[in-house]
């Protein structure tokens, strides 16, 4: 019995098919069948039953798969650690970014890595956190930088809080609501399109508590997008109002194109950003660069 036999068993368990498992490992179906048979002989127990055209794990097979998955992952991590030590390189980085971190980190980090660490391979995937957490667990991503409110604590996740950033309402500098110079009510804002990234349940509850049921983002937000820069472009070109972290709007605010809209009562909300990694994952040396860069950039 060796790791290759266990990998073949996992492939059959995951695909439910000897033919697809064989294709996955680039071997013939007969070779894969012999590998499974060798494993069954070594364990002196049947692992897979054929039920019609389907292949199902026996109860013992299910227990073996659970242990085998852990062993195969541990072996992969051992090889990864040895590679880092043997070759002395910084490793690659595959990063998932939430909407806020994507707006503030993606372009600057790519530029910084290209200039300072050109030998490090960097892949960045902006997107929805609920889709990225499974990718992290499947080791398709090495780390996430996301709003901590969107990640459920779990034993297999390491969640390092990086910063808190204030949220607010942003509109173009000459928006009709700014003409009086006075703070406006949420009801007055509702006369205009409200733009936002998808908001967490916690932020939604806070808005409702602050401004009433009409502030429920499910009804109040009319322009919804994961790309903050696209939302801010829309705000610059229309009467739409942006709700979210203020950081990405700072360059436009300094240039006088956008402005923070005073609202009564004032919005009391912030986003807490965190670096999320797997507890048992061997960390590439380049991860320290991301950690430091994100902590420096994600701040008010």
């Amino acid at each position: 019995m060796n790791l290759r036999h266990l990998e073949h068993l996992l492939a059959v368990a995951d695909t439910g098919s000897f033919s697809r498992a064989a294709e996955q490992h680039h071997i013939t179906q007969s070779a894969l069948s012999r590998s499974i048979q060798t494993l069954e002989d070594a364990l002196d127990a049947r692992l897979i039953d054929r039920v019609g055209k389907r292949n199902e794990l026996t109860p013992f097979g299910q227990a073996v798969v659970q242990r085998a998955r852990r062993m195969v992952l541990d072996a992969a991590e051992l090889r990864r650690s040895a590679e880092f030590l043997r070759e002395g390189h910084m490793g690659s980085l595959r990063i998932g970014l939430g909407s806020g971190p994507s707006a503030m980190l993606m372009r600057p980090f790519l530029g910084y890595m290209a200039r300072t660490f050109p030998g490090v391979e960097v892949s960045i995937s902006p997107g929805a956190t609920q889709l990225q957490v499974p990718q992290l667990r499947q080791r398709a991503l090495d780390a996430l930088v996301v709003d901590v409110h969107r990640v459920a604590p779990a034993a297999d996740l390491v969640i390092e809080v990086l910063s808190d950033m204030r949220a607010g309402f942003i509109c173009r500098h000459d928006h009709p609501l700014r003409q009086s110079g006075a703070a406006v009510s949420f009801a007055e804002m509702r006369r205009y399109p409200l733009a936002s990234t998808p908001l967490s349940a916690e932020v939604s509850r806070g808005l409702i508590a602050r401004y009433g049921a009409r502030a429920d983002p499910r009804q109040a937000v009319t322009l919804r997008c994961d790309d903050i820069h696209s939302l801010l472009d829309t705000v610059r070109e229309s009467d739409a109002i942006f709700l979210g972290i203020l950081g990405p709007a700072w360059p436009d605010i300094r240039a006088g194109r956008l402005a923070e809209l005073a609202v009564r009562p004032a919005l009391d909300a912030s986003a807490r950003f965190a670096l999320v990694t797997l507890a048992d994952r061997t960390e590439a040396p380049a991860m320290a660069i991301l950690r430091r860069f994100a902590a420096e950039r994600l701040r008010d």
Side-chain angles (χ1 to χ4, degrees):
M1 177 175 63
N2 57 40
L3 281 174
R4 182 62 64 188
H5 297 143
L6 297 178
E7 290 172 350
H8 292 164
L9 175 64
L10 290 176
V12 175
D14 292 339
T15 64
S17 164
F18 274 76
S19 61
R20 287 196 295 272
E23 291 174 5
Q24 189 178 91
H25 283 274
H26 308 290
I27 59 176
T28 64
Q29 186 171 334
S30 60
L32 184 115
S33 297
R34 287 195 299 273
S35 177
I36 299 297
Q37 183 63 58
T38 300
L39 183 57
E40 290 180 327
D41 291 345
L43 296 173
D44 194 24
R46 191 164 184 81
L47 302 175
I48 299 173
D49 283 331
R50 289 188 178 275
V51 182
K53 295 183 178 180
R54 294 180 292 110
N55 301 291
E56 293 186 357
L57 293 170
T58 65
F60 182 66
Q62 293 174 3
V64 172
V65 162
Q66 186 174 3
R67 296 287 295 275
R69 202 176 297 280
R70 177 75 271 158
M71 294 169 67
V72 168
L73 288 176
D74 285 345
E77 290 305 316
L78 183 59
R79 288 193 293 268
R80 179 178 165 93
S81 297
E83 181 185 354
F84 290 152
L85 291 172
R86 182 177 64 253
E87 299 184 8
H89 62 61
M90 297 291 288
S92 61
L93 282 176
R94 297 167 299 172
I95 311 160
L97 297 180
S99 56
S102 177
M104 299 196 68
L105 291 180
M106 186 159 60
R107 294 175 188 173
F109 187 66
L110 287 172
Y112 175 75
M113 295 301 290
R115 293 189 303 272
T116 313
F117 299 97
V120 178
E121 180 181 336
V122 180
S123 300
I124 296 181
S125 303
T129 303
Q130 65 267 28
L131 301 179
Q132 293 178 333
V133 171
Q135 291 179 300
L136 178 68
R137 287 190 163 114
Q138 294 161 9
R139 289 165 168 74
L141 294 172
D142 299 312
L144 309 179
V145 183
V146 295
D147 187 333
V148 72
H149 299 123
R150 293 191 166 277
V151 181
D156 64 333
L157 299 180
V158 177
I159 302 175
E160 304 174 48
V161 174
L162 299 172
S163 66
D164 290 277
M165 294 192 69
R166 188 168 69 88
F169 296 97
I170 301 291
C171 63
R172 73 170 198 270
H173 72 98
D174 57 348
H175 195 282
L177 289 179
R178 297 190 70 241
Q179 300 310 307
S180 69
V184 301
S185 67
F186 195 88
E188 290 175 286
M189 281 198 302
R190 281 296 306 268
R191 299 201 302 264
Y192 300 91
L194 187 62
S196 177
T197 60
L199 300 174
S200 68
E202 182 172 337
V203 171
S204 298
R205 288 192 294 270
L207 286 169
I208 294 170
R210 196 79 169 170
Y211 301 112
R214 294 188 65 190
D216 186 338
R218 290 174 295 183
Q219 286 80 46
V221 175
T222 54
L223 302 173
R224 192 174 287 105
C225 175
D226 278 314
D227 184 357
I228 290 180
H229 287 302
S230 294
L231 293 175
L232 291 176
D233 287 344
T234 301
V235 168
R236 279 195 301 270
E237 299 166 1
S238 70
D239 285 341
I241 299 168
F242 172 75
L243 164 61
I245 59 169
L246 303 180
W250 290 336
D252 281 312
I253 291 175
R254 286 195 293 266
R257 293 185 292 268
L258 296 177
E260 184 174 0
L261 181 63
V263 181
R264 60 175 194 276
L267 179 64
D268 181 20
S270 63
R272 173 165 290 186
F273 296 118
L275 178 73
V276 184
T277 55
L278 284 180
D280 59 355
R281 181 71 163 152
T282 303
E283 190 171 287
M287 189 69 74
I289 302 170
L290 171 64
R291 182 179 284 107
R292 182 175 63 251
F293 191 91
E296 291 173 353
R297 289 287 181 139
L298 295 177
R299 60 175 65 221
D300 286 323

